Amino acid sequence: MKLTDIIGYLAAFGTTISFLPQAVKTIQTKNTEGISLAMYAIFTLGTLLWLIYGIMSASWPVAAANAVTFIFASTILIYKVRYK
Amino acid sequence: MKLTDIIGYLAAFGTTISFLPQAVKTIQTKNTEGISLAMYAIFTLGTLLWLIYGIMSASWPVAAANAVTFIFASTILIYKVRYK
């Protein structure tokens, strides 16, 4: 594997998995005061569009990474709406 | 432009710009209690790796989008560290 590809996979892994600790923290504390509703509304929609793009263009790494991120982001969004 | 490309650009715009309202909110309120340090540490590093990947593979939309996201994410990270 080329160095460029390794960096790309590390980047995809990092930006995907990063939302896990935020989702865990939000579920555990229900503290969403400092979290921006606008961010998670736009970001969740964005990851859904990335998922559609990934499927339509058969870019499976893009589709897979964004399916995971969509689950984390929508969870945080639901908590933000419920416990604002 | 193909529909798939339009969806891809909308997705890129959405996931990039979504961090702006979070950065603005964090700067204005300095309330970072509900924000995960682990998320922003990993995410900021991830966008930096995406930026390097974009430059190395001459994927300029990837490089440009992640340069912008890196600025927003690192700003939120700095506030999280300063006002935890």
Side-chain angles (χ1 to χ4, degrees), chain A residues 4 7-8 11 14-15 18-19 22 25 31 33-36 39 42-43 49-50 53, chain B residues 4 7-8 14-15 18-19 22 25 31 33-36 39 42-43 49-50 53:
Chain A
T4 309
I7 292 171
T15 51
S18 64
F19 285 86
Q22 179 67 69
K25 179 173 186 148
N31 182 340
E33 221 185 313
I35 287 175
S36 164
M39 170 183 162
I42 301 167
F43 188 81
L49 290 174
W50 272 127
Y53 170 84
Chain B
T4 308
I7 292 171
T15 50
S18 64
F19 285 86
Q22 179 67 68
K25 179 172 187 151
N31 182 338
E33 221 184 313
I35 288 175
S36 163
M39 170 185 163
I42 300 167
F43 188 81
L49 289 175
W50 272 128
Y53 170 83

PDB file of all heavy atoms in Angstrom, chain A residues 4 7-8 11 14-15 18-19 22 25 31 33-36 39 42-43 49-50 53, chain B residues 4 7-8 14-15 18-19 22 25 31 33-36 39 42-43 49-50 53:
ATOM      1  N   THR A   4       0.476   7.430   0.691  1.00  0.00           N
ATOM      2  CA  THR A   4      -0.683   8.304   0.537  1.00  0.00           C
ATOM      3  C   THR A   4      -1.966   7.589   0.956  1.00  0.00           C
ATOM      4  O   THR A   4      -2.806   8.156   1.661  1.00  0.00           O
ATOM      5  CB  THR A   4      -0.815   8.766  -0.933  1.00  0.00           C
ATOM      6  OG1 THR A   4       0.449   9.296  -1.345  1.00  0.00           O
ATOM      7  CG2 THR A   4      -1.875   9.833  -1.097  1.00  0.00           C
ATOM      8  N   ILE A   7      -2.156   7.119   4.747  1.00  0.00           N
ATOM      9  CA  ILE A   7      -2.571   8.380   5.384  1.00  0.00           C
ATOM     10  C   ILE A   7      -4.072   8.592   5.192  1.00  0.00           C
ATOM     11  O   ILE A   7      -4.782   8.991   6.124  1.00  0.00           O
ATOM     12  CB  ILE A   7      -1.747   9.574   4.825  1.00  0.00           C
ATOM     13  CG1 ILE A   7      -0.291   9.456   5.283  1.00  0.00           C
ATOM     14  CG2 ILE A   7      -2.343  10.905   5.275  1.00  0.00           C
ATOM     15  CD1 ILE A   7       0.657  10.448   4.638  1.00  0.00           C
ATOM     16  N   GLY A   8      -4.576   8.285   3.994  1.00  0.00           N
ATOM     17  CA  GLY A   8      -6.005   8.418   3.709  1.00  0.00           C
ATOM     18  C   GLY A   8      -6.865   7.533   4.606  1.00  0.00           C
ATOM     19  O   GLY A   8      -7.874   7.986   5.145  1.00  0.00           O
ATOM     20  N   ALA A  11      -6.779   8.856   8.126  1.00  0.00           N
ATOM     21  CA  ALA A  11      -7.620  10.055   8.190  1.00  0.00           C
ATOM     22  C   ALA A  11      -9.097   9.658   8.291  1.00  0.00           C
ATOM     23  O   ALA A  11      -9.839  10.167   9.138  1.00  0.00           O
ATOM     24  CB  ALA A  11      -7.388  10.931   6.959  1.00  0.00           C
ATOM     25  N   GLY A  14      -9.823   8.158  11.685  1.00  0.00           N
ATOM     26  CA  GLY A  14      -9.830   9.187  12.731  1.00  0.00           C
ATOM     27  C   GLY A  14     -11.093  10.032  12.739  1.00  0.00           C
ATOM     28  O   GLY A  14     -11.736  10.182  13.782  1.00  0.00           O
ATOM     29  N   THR A  15     -11.467  10.569  11.572  1.00  0.00           N
ATOM     30  CA  THR A  15     -12.630  11.461  11.542  1.00  0.00           C
ATOM     31  C   THR A  15     -13.935  10.687  11.766  1.00  0.00           C
ATOM     32  O   THR A  15     -14.927  11.258  12.179  1.00  0.00           O
ATOM     33  CB  THR A  15     -12.698  12.276  10.227  1.00  0.00           C
ATOM     34  OG1 THR A  15     -12.573  11.391   9.110  1.00  0.00           O
ATOM     35  CG2 THR A  15     -11.584  13.312  10.157  1.00  0.00           C
ATOM     36  N   SER A  18     -13.839   9.463  15.819  1.00  0.00           N
ATOM     37  CA  SER A  18     -13.818  10.588  16.771  1.00  0.00           C
ATOM     38  C   SER A  18     -15.196  10.885  17.358  1.00  0.00           C
ATOM     39  O   SER A  18     -15.293  11.369  18.485  1.00  0.00           O
ATOM     40  CB  SER A  18     -13.246  11.840  16.100  1.00  0.00           C
ATOM     41  OG  SER A  18     -14.085  12.259  15.049  1.00  0.00           O
ATOM     42  N   PHE A  19     -16.269  10.604  16.599  1.00  0.00           N
ATOM     43  CA  PHE A  19     -17.612  10.914  17.099  1.00  0.00           C
ATOM     44  C   PHE A  19     -18.092   9.914  18.150  1.00  0.00           C
ATOM     45  O   PHE A  19     -19.073  10.187  18.835  1.00  0.00           O
ATOM     46  CB  PHE A  19     -18.616  10.999  15.939  1.00  0.00           C
ATOM     47  CG  PHE A  19     -18.472  12.267  15.163  1.00  0.00           C
ATOM     48  CD1 PHE A  19     -17.548  12.363  14.132  1.00  0.00           C
ATOM     49  CD2 PHE A  19     -19.220  13.386  15.489  1.00  0.00           C
ATOM     50  CE1 PHE A  19     -17.384  13.541  13.433  1.00  0.00           C
ATOM     51  CE2 PHE A  19     -19.068  14.574  14.802  1.00  0.00           C
ATOM     52  CZ  PHE A  19     -18.146  14.648  13.761  1.00  0.00           C
ATOM     53  N   GLN A  22     -17.699  11.356  21.714  1.00  0.00           N
ATOM     54  CA  GLN A  22     -18.702  12.419  21.906  1.00  0.00           C
ATOM     55  C   GLN A  22     -20.082  11.802  22.136  1.00  0.00           C
ATOM     56  O   GLN A  22     -20.826  12.245  23.024  1.00  0.00           O
ATOM     57  CB  GLN A  22     -18.738  13.357  20.688  1.00  0.00           C
ATOM     58  CG  GLN A  22     -19.773  14.468  20.800  1.00  0.00           C
ATOM     59  CD  GLN A  22     -19.434  15.471  21.892  1.00  0.00           C
ATOM     60  OE1 GLN A  22     -18.495  16.227  21.791  1.00  0.00           O
ATOM     61  NE2 GLN A  22     -20.211  15.469  22.984  1.00  0.00           N
ATOM     62  N   LYS A  25     -20.150  10.277  25.659  1.00  0.00           N
ATOM     63  CA  LYS A  25     -20.218  11.340  26.662  1.00  0.00           C
ATOM     64  C   LYS A  25     -21.620  11.948  26.735  1.00  0.00           C
ATOM     65  O   LYS A  25     -22.166  12.167  27.814  1.00  0.00           O
ATOM     66  CB  LYS A  25     -19.198  12.438  26.317  1.00  0.00           C
ATOM     67  CG  LYS A  25     -19.210  13.592  27.302  1.00  0.00           C
ATOM     68  CD  LYS A  25     -18.084  14.578  27.057  1.00  0.00           C
ATOM     69  CE  LYS A  25     -18.073  15.616  28.185  1.00  0.00           C
ATOM     70  NZ  LYS A  25     -16.737  16.111  28.486  1.00  0.00           N
ATOM     71  N   ASN A  31     -25.537  16.138  28.947  1.00  0.00           N
ATOM     72  CA  ASN A  31     -25.183  17.559  28.946  1.00  0.00           C
ATOM     73  C   ASN A  31     -24.926  17.990  27.511  1.00  0.00           C
ATOM     74  O   ASN A  31     -23.903  17.651  26.921  1.00  0.00           O
ATOM     75  CB  ASN A  31     -23.934  17.780  29.808  1.00  0.00           C
ATOM     76  CG  ASN A  31     -23.544  19.250  29.878  1.00  0.00           C
ATOM     77  OD1 ASN A  31     -23.945  20.052  29.028  1.00  0.00           O
ATOM     78  ND2 ASN A  31     -22.770  19.618  30.883  1.00  0.00           N
ATOM     79  N   GLU A  33     -25.555  21.353  26.553  1.00  0.00           N
ATOM     80  CA  GLU A  33     -25.637  22.817  26.541  1.00  0.00           C
ATOM     81  C   GLU A  33     -24.615  23.447  25.598  1.00  0.00           C
ATOM     82  O   GLU A  33     -24.937  24.369  24.857  1.00  0.00           O
ATOM     83  CB  GLU A  33     -25.415  23.335  27.962  1.00  0.00           C
ATOM     84  CG  GLU A  33     -26.339  24.468  28.354  1.00  0.00           C
ATOM     85  CD  GLU A  33     -25.959  24.991  29.733  1.00  0.00           C
ATOM     86  OE1 GLU A  33     -25.766  24.167  30.648  1.00  0.00           O
ATOM     87  OE2 GLU A  33     -25.825  26.208  29.867  1.00  0.00           O
ATOM     88  N   GLY A  34     -23.380  22.929  25.640  1.00  0.00           N
ATOM     89  CA  GLY A  34     -22.319  23.505  24.834  1.00  0.00           C
ATOM     90  C   GLY A  34     -22.285  23.016  23.397  1.00  0.00           C
ATOM     91  O   GLY A  34     -21.478  23.479  22.586  1.00  0.00           O
ATOM     92  N   ILE A  35     -23.181  22.069  23.093  1.00  0.00           N
ATOM     93  CA  ILE A  35     -23.208  21.484  21.748  1.00  0.00           C
ATOM     94  C   ILE A  35     -24.127  22.295  20.845  1.00  0.00           C
ATOM     95  O   ILE A  35     -25.222  22.692  21.243  1.00  0.00           O
ATOM     96  CB  ILE A  35     -23.656  20.000  21.830  1.00  0.00           C
ATOM     97  CG1 ILE A  35     -22.524  19.155  22.419  1.00  0.00           C
ATOM     98  CG2 ILE A  35     -24.090  19.461  20.469  1.00  0.00           C
ATOM     99  CD1 ILE A  35     -22.892  17.705  22.649  1.00  0.00           C
ATOM    100  N   SER A  36     -23.682  22.562  19.630  1.00  0.00           N
ATOM    101  CA  SER A  36     -24.457  23.365  18.677  1.00  0.00           C
ATOM    102  C   SER A  36     -25.474  22.502  17.922  1.00  0.00           C
ATOM    103  O   SER A  36     -25.103  21.546  17.246  1.00  0.00           O
ATOM    104  CB  SER A  36     -23.505  24.030  17.687  1.00  0.00           C
ATOM    105  OG  SER A  36     -24.221  24.492  16.553  1.00  0.00           O
ATOM    106  N   MET A  39     -24.858  22.732  14.208  1.00  0.00           N
ATOM    107  CA  MET A  39     -23.778  21.858  13.743  1.00  0.00           C
ATOM    108  C   MET A  39     -24.292  20.452  13.491  1.00  0.00           C
ATOM    109  O   MET A  39     -24.072  19.896  12.413  1.00  0.00           O
ATOM    110  CB  MET A  39     -22.625  21.787  14.761  1.00  0.00           C
ATOM    111  CG  MET A  39     -21.648  20.683  14.359  1.00  0.00           C
ATOM    112  SD  MET A  39     -20.279  20.373  15.465  1.00  0.00           S
ATOM    113  CE  MET A  39     -19.792  18.730  14.878  1.00  0.00           C
ATOM    114  N   ILE A  42     -26.834  20.068  10.505  1.00  0.00           N
ATOM    115  CA  ILE A  42     -26.172  20.155   9.192  1.00  0.00           C
ATOM    116  C   ILE A  42     -25.226  18.962   8.990  1.00  0.00           C
ATOM    117  O   ILE A  42     -25.199  18.355   7.916  1.00  0.00           O
ATOM    118  CB  ILE A  42     -25.386  21.489   9.041  1.00  0.00           C
ATOM    119  CG1 ILE A  42     -26.328  22.691   9.191  1.00  0.00           C
ATOM    120  CG2 ILE A  42     -24.667  21.549   7.692  1.00  0.00           C
ATOM    121  CD1 ILE A  42     -25.602  24.031   9.367  1.00  0.00           C
ATOM    122  N   PHE A  43     -24.477  18.613  10.052  1.00  0.00           N
ATOM    123  CA  PHE A  43     -23.491  17.540   9.920  1.00  0.00           C
ATOM    124  C   PHE A  43     -24.149  16.184   9.661  1.00  0.00           C
ATOM    125  O   PHE A  43     -23.680  15.410   8.814  1.00  0.00           O
ATOM    126  CB  PHE A  43     -22.606  17.472  11.177  1.00  0.00           C
ATOM    127  CG  PHE A  43     -21.455  16.525  11.028  1.00  0.00           C
ATOM    128  CD1 PHE A  43     -20.302  16.909  10.369  1.00  0.00           C
ATOM    129  CD2 PHE A  43     -21.529  15.232  11.521  1.00  0.00           C
ATOM    130  CE1 PHE A  43     -19.248  16.029  10.202  1.00  0.00           C
ATOM    131  CE2 PHE A  43     -20.482  14.336  11.363  1.00  0.00           C
ATOM    132  CZ  PHE A  43     -19.336  14.746  10.699  1.00  0.00           C
ATOM    133  N   LEU A  49     -25.816  12.596   3.069  1.00  0.00           N
ATOM    134  CA  LEU A  49     -25.518  12.883   1.658  1.00  0.00           C
ATOM    135  C   LEU A  49     -24.240  12.160   1.211  1.00  0.00           C
ATOM    136  O   LEU A  49     -24.167  11.636   0.098  1.00  0.00           O
ATOM    137  CB  LEU A  49     -25.388  14.399   1.432  1.00  0.00           C
ATOM    138  CG  LEU A  49     -26.689  15.204   1.526  1.00  0.00           C
ATOM    139  CD1 LEU A  49     -26.397  16.703   1.425  1.00  0.00           C
ATOM    140  CD2 LEU A  49     -27.665  14.795   0.431  1.00  0.00           C
ATOM    141  N   TRP A  50     -23.214  12.123   2.090  1.00  0.00           N
ATOM    142  CA  TRP A  50     -21.976  11.378   1.792  1.00  0.00           C
ATOM    143  C   TRP A  50     -22.283   9.895   1.592  1.00  0.00           C
ATOM    144  O   TRP A  50     -21.712   9.253   0.710  1.00  0.00           O
ATOM    145  CB  TRP A  50     -20.965  11.499   2.923  1.00  0.00           C
ATOM    146  CG  TRP A  50     -20.031  12.669   2.853  1.00  0.00           C
ATOM    147  CD1 TRP A  50     -19.810  13.593   3.836  1.00  0.00           C
ATOM    148  CD2 TRP A  50     -19.172  13.036   1.765  1.00  0.00           C
ATOM    149  NE1 TRP A  50     -18.870  14.505   3.423  1.00  0.00           N
ATOM    150  CE2 TRP A  50     -18.469  14.187   2.166  1.00  0.00           C
ATOM    151  CE3 TRP A  50     -18.935  12.509   0.492  1.00  0.00           C
ATOM    152  CZ2 TRP A  50     -17.540  14.816   1.329  1.00  0.00           C
ATOM    153  CZ3 TRP A  50     -18.002  13.139  -0.334  1.00  0.00           C
ATOM    154  CH2 TRP A  50     -17.330  14.275   0.087  1.00  0.00           C
ATOM    155  N   TYR A  53     -23.931   9.543  -1.732  1.00  0.00           N
ATOM    156  CA  TYR A  53     -22.887   9.738  -2.739  1.00  0.00           C
ATOM    157  C   TYR A  53     -22.022   8.484  -2.862  1.00  0.00           C
ATOM    158  O   TYR A  53     -21.712   8.030  -3.974  1.00  0.00           O
ATOM    159  CB  TYR A  53     -22.018  10.950  -2.368  1.00  0.00           C
ATOM    160  CG  TYR A  53     -20.772  11.085  -3.217  1.00  0.00           C
ATOM    161  CD1 TYR A  53     -20.824  11.712  -4.462  1.00  0.00           C
ATOM    162  CD2 TYR A  53     -19.549  10.583  -2.774  1.00  0.00           C
ATOM    163  CE1 TYR A  53     -19.679  11.822  -5.247  1.00  0.00           C
ATOM    164  CE2 TYR A  53     -18.409  10.691  -3.549  1.00  0.00           C
ATOM    165  CZ  TYR A  53     -18.480  11.315  -4.777  1.00  0.00           C
ATOM    166  OH  TYR A  53     -17.355  11.418  -5.545  1.00  0.00           O
TER     167      TYR A  53
ATOM    168  N   THR B   4     -24.706  12.661  -9.058  1.00  0.00           N
ATOM    169  CA  THR B   4     -23.811  12.096  -8.039  1.00  0.00           C
ATOM    170  C   THR B   4     -22.798  13.147  -7.570  1.00  0.00           C
ATOM    171  O   THR B   4     -22.549  13.296  -6.371  1.00  0.00           O
ATOM    172  CB  THR B   4     -23.053  10.875  -8.623  1.00  0.00           C
ATOM    173  OG1 THR B   4     -24.011   9.986  -9.184  1.00  0.00           O
ATOM    174  CG2 THR B   4     -22.268  10.144  -7.552  1.00  0.00           C
ATOM    175  N   ILE B   7     -24.477  15.820  -5.400  1.00  0.00           N
ATOM    176  CA  ILE B   7     -24.682  15.293  -4.040  1.00  0.00           C
ATOM    177  C   ILE B   7     -23.356  15.287  -3.273  1.00  0.00           C
ATOM    178  O   ILE B   7     -23.300  15.666  -2.109  1.00  0.00           O
ATOM    179  CB  ILE B   7     -25.321  13.880  -4.090  1.00  0.00           C
ATOM    180  CG1 ILE B   7     -26.755  13.983  -4.604  1.00  0.00           C
ATOM    181  CG2 ILE B   7     -25.295  13.210  -2.702  1.00  0.00           C
ATOM    182  CD1 ILE B   7     -27.429  12.649  -4.900  1.00  0.00           C
ATOM    183  N   GLY B   8     -22.275  14.910  -3.953  1.00  0.00           N
ATOM    184  CA  GLY B   8     -20.952  14.907  -3.326  1.00  0.00           C
ATOM    185  C   GLY B   8     -20.514  16.290  -2.878  1.00  0.00           C
ATOM    186  O   GLY B   8     -20.010  16.459  -1.766  1.00  0.00           O
ATOM    187  N   GLY B  14     -21.698  20.605   3.394  1.00  0.00           N
ATOM    188  CA  GLY B  14     -22.417  20.429   4.660  1.00  0.00           C
ATOM    189  C   GLY B  14     -21.518  20.019   5.805  1.00  0.00           C
ATOM    190  O   GLY B  14     -21.529  20.646   6.872  1.00  0.00           O
ATOM    191  N   THR B  15     -20.716  18.962   5.590  1.00  0.00           N
ATOM    192  CA  THR B  15     -19.883  18.461   6.697  1.00  0.00           C
ATOM    193  C   THR B  15     -18.747  19.442   7.029  1.00  0.00           C
ATOM    194  O   THR B  15     -18.236  19.436   8.139  1.00  0.00           O
ATOM    195  CB  THR B  15     -19.310  17.053   6.393  1.00  0.00           C
ATOM    196  OG1 THR B  15     -18.705  17.049   5.108  1.00  0.00           O
ATOM    197  CG2 THR B  15     -20.407  16.000   6.424  1.00  0.00           C
ATOM    198  N   SER B  18     -20.639  22.805   8.777  1.00  0.00           N
ATOM    199  CA  SER B  18     -21.356  22.509  10.033  1.00  0.00           C
ATOM    200  C   SER B  18     -20.550  22.865  11.277  1.00  0.00           C
ATOM    201  O   SER B  18     -21.122  23.196  12.317  1.00  0.00           O
ATOM    202  CB  SER B  18     -21.741  21.029  10.076  1.00  0.00           C
ATOM    203  OG  SER B  18     -20.592  20.218  10.104  1.00  0.00           O
ATOM    204  N   PHE B  19     -19.225  22.848  11.169  1.00  0.00           N
ATOM    205  CA  PHE B  19     -18.388  23.156  12.337  1.00  0.00           C
ATOM    206  C   PHE B  19     -18.318  24.653  12.636  1.00  0.00           C
ATOM    207  O   PHE B  19     -17.876  25.039  13.717  1.00  0.00           O
ATOM    208  CB  PHE B  19     -16.969  22.580  12.172  1.00  0.00           C
ATOM    209  CG  PHE B  19     -16.933  21.101  12.380  1.00  0.00           C
ATOM    210  CD1 PHE B  19     -17.207  20.231  11.331  1.00  0.00           C
ATOM    211  CD2 PHE B  19     -16.683  20.565  13.633  1.00  0.00           C
ATOM    212  CE1 PHE B  19     -17.212  18.858  11.520  1.00  0.00           C
ATOM    213  CE2 PHE B  19     -16.687  19.194  13.839  1.00  0.00           C
ATOM    214  CZ  PHE B  19     -16.950  18.336  12.776  1.00  0.00           C
ATOM    215  N   GLN B  22     -20.710  25.589  15.528  1.00  0.00           N
ATOM    216  CA  GLN B  22     -20.155  25.060  16.783  1.00  0.00           C
ATOM    217  C   GLN B  22     -18.992  25.932  17.253  1.00  0.00           C
ATOM    218  O   GLN B  22     -18.905  26.257  18.439  1.00  0.00           O
ATOM    219  CB  GLN B  22     -19.692  23.604  16.598  1.00  0.00           C
ATOM    220  CG  GLN B  22     -19.085  22.998  17.859  1.00  0.00           C
ATOM    221  CD  GLN B  22     -20.102  22.815  18.971  1.00  0.00           C
ATOM    222  OE1 GLN B  22     -21.001  21.996  18.867  1.00  0.00           O
ATOM    223  NE2 GLN B  22     -19.988  23.584  20.055  1.00  0.00           N
ATOM    224  N   LYS B  25     -20.413  29.254  18.561  1.00  0.00           N
ATOM    225  CA  LYS B  25     -21.062  29.038  19.865  1.00  0.00           C
ATOM    226  C   LYS B  25     -20.023  28.867  20.978  1.00  0.00           C
ATOM    227  O   LYS B  25     -20.153  29.448  22.054  1.00  0.00           O
ATOM    228  CB  LYS B  25     -21.956  27.800  19.798  1.00  0.00           C
ATOM    229  CG  LYS B  25     -22.654  27.491  21.096  1.00  0.00           C
ATOM    230  CD  LYS B  25     -23.677  26.383  20.962  1.00  0.00           C
ATOM    231  CE  LYS B  25     -24.444  26.264  22.276  1.00  0.00           C
ATOM    232  NZ  LYS B  25     -25.802  25.783  22.095  1.00  0.00           N
ATOM    233  N   ASN B  31     -18.608  27.666  26.849  1.00  0.00           N
ATOM    234  CA  ASN B  31     -19.180  26.495  27.518  1.00  0.00           C
ATOM    235  C   ASN B  31     -18.761  25.243  26.749  1.00  0.00           C
ATOM    236  O   ASN B  31     -19.273  24.964  25.660  1.00  0.00           O
ATOM    237  CB  ASN B  31     -20.708  26.612  27.550  1.00  0.00           C
ATOM    238  CG  ASN B  31     -21.353  25.433  28.272  1.00  0.00           C
ATOM    239  OD1 ASN B  31     -20.756  24.362  28.401  1.00  0.00           O
ATOM    240  ND2 ASN B  31     -22.571  25.631  28.750  1.00  0.00           N
ATOM    241  N   GLU B  33     -18.348  22.192  28.483  1.00  0.00           N
ATOM    242  CA  GLU B  33     -18.560  21.060  29.392  1.00  0.00           C
ATOM    243  C   GLU B  33     -19.072  19.815  28.662  1.00  0.00           C
ATOM    244  O   GLU B  33     -18.619  18.712  28.924  1.00  0.00           O
ATOM    245  CB  GLU B  33     -19.574  21.466  30.467  1.00  0.00           C
ATOM    246  CG  GLU B  33     -19.227  20.984  31.855  1.00  0.00           C
ATOM    247  CD  GLU B  33     -20.325  21.350  32.832  1.00  0.00           C
ATOM    248  OE1 GLU B  33     -20.782  22.516  32.814  1.00  0.00           O
ATOM    249  OE2 GLU B  33     -20.741  20.464  33.574  1.00  0.00           O
ATOM    250  N   GLY B  34     -20.037  20.010  27.746  1.00  0.00           N
ATOM    251  CA  GLY B  34     -20.640  18.868  27.062  1.00  0.00           C
ATOM    252  C   GLY B  34     -19.842  18.375  25.860  1.00  0.00           C
ATOM    253  O   GLY B  34     -20.205  17.395  25.217  1.00  0.00           O
ATOM    254  N   ILE B  35     -18.761  19.103  25.550  1.00  0.00           N
ATOM    255  CA  ILE B  35     -17.949  18.756  24.384  1.00  0.00           C
ATOM    256  C   ILE B  35     -16.868  17.750  24.776  1.00  0.00           C
ATOM    257  O   ILE B  35     -16.235  17.902  25.811  1.00  0.00           O
ATOM    258  CB  ILE B  35     -17.332  20.039  23.763  1.00  0.00           C
ATOM    259  CG1 ILE B  35     -18.433  20.850  23.057  1.00  0.00           C
ATOM    260  CG2 ILE B  35     -16.193  19.719  22.821  1.00  0.00           C
ATOM    261  CD1 ILE B  35     -17.973  22.181  22.530  1.00  0.00           C
ATOM    262  N   SER B  36     -16.686  16.740  23.962  1.00  0.00           N
ATOM    263  CA  SER B  36     -15.699  15.691  24.234  1.00  0.00           C
ATOM    264  C   SER B  36     -14.305  16.099  23.765  1.00  0.00           C
ATOM    265  O   SER B  36     -14.097  16.360  22.577  1.00  0.00           O
ATOM    266  CB  SER B  36     -16.133  14.396  23.542  1.00  0.00           C
ATOM    267  OG  SER B  36     -15.050  13.501  23.453  1.00  0.00           O
ATOM    268  N   MET B  39     -13.000  13.564  21.264  1.00  0.00           N
ATOM    269  CA  MET B  39     -13.519  13.756  19.913  1.00  0.00           C
ATOM    270  C   MET B  39     -12.705  14.800  19.160  1.00  0.00           C
ATOM    271  O   MET B  39     -12.253  14.550  18.043  1.00  0.00           O
ATOM    272  CB  MET B  39     -14.988  14.208  19.912  1.00  0.00           C
ATOM    273  CG  MET B  39     -15.401  14.639  18.505  1.00  0.00           C
ATOM    274  SD  MET B  39     -17.055  15.321  18.334  1.00  0.00           S
ATOM    275  CE  MET B  39     -16.857  16.115  16.707  1.00  0.00           C
ATOM    276  N   ILE B  42      -8.989  13.777  18.379  1.00  0.00           N
ATOM    277  CA  ILE B  42      -8.893  12.805  17.279  1.00  0.00           C
ATOM    278  C   ILE B  42      -9.360  13.430  15.964  1.00  0.00           C
ATOM    279  O   ILE B  42      -8.731  13.263  14.927  1.00  0.00           O
ATOM    280  CB  ILE B  42      -9.726  11.531  17.590  1.00  0.00           C
ATOM    281  CG1 ILE B  42      -9.228  10.857  18.878  1.00  0.00           C
ATOM    282  CG2 ILE B  42      -9.673  10.542  16.420  1.00  0.00           C
ATOM    283  CD1 ILE B  42     -10.183   9.792  19.417  1.00  0.00           C
ATOM    284  N   PHE B  43     -10.470  14.190  16.024  1.00  0.00           N
ATOM    285  CA  PHE B  43     -11.037  14.770  14.806  1.00  0.00           C
ATOM    286  C   PHE B  43     -10.092  15.795  14.170  1.00  0.00           C
ATOM    287  O   PHE B  43      -9.926  15.817  12.944  1.00  0.00           O
ATOM    288  CB  PHE B  43     -12.401  15.412  15.103  1.00  0.00           C
ATOM    289  CG  PHE B  43     -13.114  15.853  13.866  1.00  0.00           C
ATOM    290  CD1 PHE B  43     -13.831  14.940  13.099  1.00  0.00           C
ATOM    291  CD2 PHE B  43     -13.057  17.162  13.437  1.00  0.00           C
ATOM    292  CE1 PHE B  43     -14.477  15.334  11.934  1.00  0.00           C
ATOM    293  CE2 PHE B  43     -13.700  17.570  12.273  1.00  0.00           C
ATOM    294  CZ  PHE B  43     -14.409  16.649  11.524  1.00  0.00           C
ATOM    295  N   LEU B  49      -4.694  14.935   8.749  1.00  0.00           N
ATOM    296  CA  LEU B  49      -4.279  13.810   7.900  1.00  0.00           C
ATOM    297  C   LEU B  49      -5.004  13.864   6.547  1.00  0.00           C
ATOM    298  O   LEU B  49      -4.403  13.604   5.505  1.00  0.00           O
ATOM    299  CB  LEU B  49      -4.564  12.475   8.606  1.00  0.00           C
ATOM    300  CG  LEU B  49      -3.676  12.147   9.800  1.00  0.00           C
ATOM    301  CD1 LEU B  49      -4.146  10.864  10.487  1.00  0.00           C
ATOM    302  CD2 LEU B  49      -2.214  12.003   9.383  1.00  0.00           C
ATOM    303  N   TRP B  50      -6.314  14.239   6.548  1.00  0.00           N
ATOM    304  CA  TRP B  50      -7.056  14.406   5.293  1.00  0.00           C
ATOM    305  C   TRP B  50      -6.415  15.492   4.430  1.00  0.00           C
ATOM    306  O   TRP B  50      -6.333  15.371   3.208  1.00  0.00           O
ATOM    307  CB  TRP B  50      -8.512  14.805   5.566  1.00  0.00           C
ATOM    308  CG  TRP B  50      -9.478  13.678   5.757  1.00  0.00           C
ATOM    309  CD1 TRP B  50     -10.333  13.520   6.812  1.00  0.00           C
ATOM    310  CD2 TRP B  50      -9.736  12.571   4.859  1.00  0.00           C
ATOM    311  NE1 TRP B  50     -11.084  12.379   6.632  1.00  0.00           N
ATOM    312  CE2 TRP B  50     -10.744  11.784   5.456  1.00  0.00           C
ATOM    313  CE3 TRP B  50      -9.201  12.175   3.644  1.00  0.00           C
ATOM    314  CZ2 TRP B  50     -11.234  10.621   4.850  1.00  0.00           C
ATOM    315  CZ3 TRP B  50      -9.680  11.023   3.045  1.00  0.00           C
ATOM    316  CH2 TRP B  50     -10.686  10.268   3.651  1.00  0.00           C
ATOM    317  N   TYR B  53      -3.279  14.078   2.990  1.00  0.00           N
ATOM    318  CA  TYR B  53      -3.695  13.127   1.947  1.00  0.00           C
ATOM    319  C   TYR B  53      -4.131  13.877   0.678  1.00  0.00           C
ATOM    320  O   TYR B  53      -3.753  13.497  -0.432  1.00  0.00           O
ATOM    321  CB  TYR B  53      -4.842  12.251   2.467  1.00  0.00           C
ATOM    322  CG  TYR B  53      -5.498  11.416   1.404  1.00  0.00           C
ATOM    323  CD1 TYR B  53      -4.952  10.192   1.022  1.00  0.00           C
ATOM    324  CD2 TYR B  53      -6.658  11.847   0.769  1.00  0.00           C
ATOM    325  CE1 TYR B  53      -5.554   9.420   0.030  1.00  0.00           C
ATOM    326  CE2 TYR B  53      -7.266  11.088  -0.220  1.00  0.00           C
ATOM    327  CZ  TYR B  53      -6.704   9.873  -0.583  1.00  0.00           C
ATOM    328  OH  TYR B  53      -7.295   9.124  -1.560  1.00  0.00           O
TER     329      TYR B  53
END
